[in-house]
Amino acid sequence: MSQQQIEFLREGRINGLPFLSFKRYPQHTSGELRYNELDWLNLYHAYYVLLDPEGLTEFDATSWDTQAAFENSLEDAWRQSAGMEMMECPEGTRVSVVGSLKLVKTPEGPLSTRTLFECAAVIDELFQFDGAFARMADPTLREFLLEGIGGEYGLPWRLASALAGRDLGGSVVLALIDFALNPVVPGLTSADPSVSWRELYPPYRFAAAAKAIADWKSDLEFQYPSHEVTVQFQRMLAKRSGLRMGRVASRLSGFSTLREAATVRMHLAERTPAVSFVCASRLFDLREEDVCALTHYGVNFLNDRALRFIDPDRDMWWLFPVFQVSQGEYRWPAEHVNLDEATDLLISAAVASAYDDVLHGTGPLASDHLPRALLEDHREVGALNKVLNDSTGLDIGWRSDLNPQHR
């Protein structure tokens, strides 16, 4: 950006005007910045439609071309990640999303991908009252979970039972959600640059899968999940619904260890996704061996499977949040990265989040995701702000929340 554009961005944030906004597009009428602005707004719009359309304002939802946003976003992602996290992208490839891009409406309101995630999480936790933790489970928590499943979070369960024409057990609903949350994505699961909206959008996949079991019962309805039974269930769902089960076909990361992701030279904004891709690679390898080993199948709380979460193996760090801020303190897996490496990863994560904040936020930079101890030390904050200033070219940073004893 030119110095004039930098000043424009800074003054806008001070006055409560985000740098990028649907209401202000096109703010930049020429040059590369105009195309970057369009790319970011497309990604932002597609993300919210995919996850939770309620996150978009009425203006955002009605003024933007949703199909163009999805096609451009999928194409951009494939082009940027070709040969790395995604398959090679043939030159001149144009991604297309076919079919009507409609949302899934129910008598209780729209079904969203976010609701599917929330429903899976609640059902998963309810399994602790049937499994190995039953004697230790807090009855108050059970009441809280039942209240959640009786409200918005239970919408997918009630919808699936209605579409299937019978009351479904938690294991079946979790398997339906898993099928829905693994769509076909150009470049990631398929080399085909064209995908139908029905195969891409999780709520559609969920409704279609529920309808597909209306006149068929699988072994999953009569026993706890196992890898073999669940995979067979997925295959039958694909056959009966006409929708493919998306499976990652590319190598997500060239790194084999967390230390590599922490030490190999790369831009600050690349390091956080590098860590995520290392963890995702491990997760997908595990998924191929045992699909039920992941958290949304209830088996966290069943029999001997539950024990791994009480005393997890040293090589299972990737099943948990790798870097955490807990009670204001920064935590990391010390057996895999040392203090210096963990510090570099913290700085990279902070800068990466600041980029997003700078683009669409206003006012002071968000800091809730950062360790409290870091923000209480003005020297640490100053050093972090210098890295951010050097990286963005913007005179912007976090504020130091100093306690009297630190002055």
Side-chain angles (χ1 to χ4, degrees):
M1 292 187 293
S2 66
Q3 191 60 40
Q4 182 180 13
Q5 289 169 326
I6 291 174
E7 283 300 313
F8 183 75
L9 185 157
R10 188 183 67 82
E11 292 176 6
R13 281 183 60 85
I14 293 173
N15 295 318
L17 298 174
F19 186 56
L20 298 182
S21 168
F22 293 102
K23 293 182 180 180
R24 300 172 69 186
Y25 180 82
Q27 177 176 312
H28 308 286
T29 56
S30 63
E32 185 178 355
L33 195 57
R34 183 177 189 275
Y35 295 103
N36 291 338
E37 180 183 15
L38 178 60
D39 287 344
W40 189 88
L41 291 173
N42 278 333
L43 286 164
Y44 188 85
H45 184 87
Y47 171 84
Y48 273 104
V49 171
L50 196 62
L51 182 67
D52 188 2
E54 293 183 1
L56 292 169
T57 66
E58 184 177 352
F59 180 88
D60 299 339
T62 58
S63 66
W64 211 250
D65 187 333
T66 299
Q67 180 161 345
F70 265 93
E71 292 178 342
N72 290 327
S73 296
L74 290 171
E75 188 176 310
D76 286 343
W78 191 355
R79 187 175 64 249
Q80 294 290 337
S81 302
M84 296 180 288
E85 297 87 22
M86 300 177 79
M87 304 174 195
E88 290 289 348
C89 184
E91 188 174 350
T93 295
R94 299 302 304 269
V95 174
S96 61
V97 180
V98 298
S100 179
L101 275 64
K102 294 182 179 179
L103 305 181
V104 176
K105 298 180 180 179
T106 77
E108 297 184 51
L111 177 66
S112 69
T113 304
R114 178 188 63 82
T115 313
L116 294 175
F117 277 116
E118 299 286 7
C119 181
V122 176
I123 296 175
D124 183 58
E125 289 198 61
L126 282 170
F127 268 89
Q128 68 186 289
F129 297 95
D130 295 329
F133 293 157
R135 293 181 180 179
M136 298 178 287
D138 185 349
T140 305
L141 175 60
R142 186 171 188 270
E143 292 179 15
F144 178 77
L145 293 171
L146 289 175
E147 182 179 342
I149 211 70
E152 178 193 10
Y153 295 168
L155 190 159
W157 196 342
R158 293 188 292 274
L159 176 63
S161 295
L163 293 174
R166 62 185 182 277
D167 290 334
L168 299 176
S171 296
V172 178
V173 178
L174 287 169
L176 292 173
I177 292 175
D178 185 66
F179 181 84
L181 294 177
N182 285 275
V184 176
V185 180
L188 185 66
T189 61
S190 170
D192 188 350
S194 178
V195 62
S196 72
W197 181 245
R198 291 182 71 252
E199 281 202 306
L200 178 66
Y201 192 49
Y204 263 122
R205 294 177 59 85
F206 181 78
K211 289 179 182 178
I213 64 172
D215 58 351
W216 168 69
K217 292 184 179 181
S218 84
D219 291 342
L220 199 58
E221 299 198 39
F222 310 104
Q223 65 184 65
Y224 285 132
S226 69
H227 178 72
E228 293 74 17
V229 170
T230 305
V231 170
Q232 179 61 25
F233 182 73
Q234 293 171 343
R235 289 172 180 165
M236 285 300 295
L237 280 182
K239 182 178 180 180
R240 296 175 68 87
S241 68
L243 303 177
R244 291 170 290 175
M245 176 74 177
R247 295 190 181 277
V248 175
S250 59
R251 186 183 181 191
L252 291 178
S253 177
F255 300 137
S256 57
T257 66
L258 188 59
R259 174 158 280 115
E260 286 183 279
T263 56
V264 172
R265 287 182 61 86
M266 64 183 77
H267 191 278
L268 283 171
E270 295 179 292
R271 204 171 292 283
T272 297
V275 170
S276 299
F277 282 128
V278 169
C279 297
S281 294
R282 297 287 188 102
L283 285 169
F284 282 117
D285 287 343
L286 175 62
R287 182 181 176 86
E288 290 302 312
E289 296 172 11
D290 184 0
V291 67
C292 296
L294 300 184
T295 58
H296 53 266
Y297 270 107
V299 294
N300 289 352
F301 306 104
L302 298 177
N303 305 322
D304 59 343
R305 288 180 178 272
L307 300 179
R308 65 197 176 125
F309 291 100
I310 297 175
D311 184 20
D313 296 334
R314 292 171 64 87
D315 289 334
M316 292 179 65
W317 51 265
W318 36 271
L319 274 176
F320 303 86
V322 180
F323 304 102
Q324 306 173 47
V325 174
S326 177
Q327 297 181 339
E329 298 294 329
Y330 179 44
R331 301 169 189 262
W332 65 90
E335 65 272 24
H336 293 282
V337 289
N338 60 34
L339 175 60
D340 289 340
E341 293 160 351
T343 300
D344 287 343
L345 287 166
L346 172 61
I347 293 172
S348 298
V351 171
S353 69
Y355 284 172
D356 191 55
D357 198 347
V358 165
L359 288 175
H360 71 86
T362 59
L365 290 177
S367 59
D368 290 347
H369 59 294
L370 298 176
R372 184 175 60 249
L374 173 66
L375 297 175
E376 290 174 346
D377 188 326
H378 71 279
R379 290 168 298 183
E380 295 284 356
V381 174
L384 185 59
N385 286 342
K386 185 179 185 307
V387 174
L388 179 60
N389 296 162
D390 292 343
S391 179
T392 63
L394 301 172
D395 184 16
I396 195 168
W398 290 275
R399 295 187 300 190
S400 177
D401 298 326
L402 294 176
N403 290 331
Q405 63 266 31
H406 291 140
R407 290 189 182 275

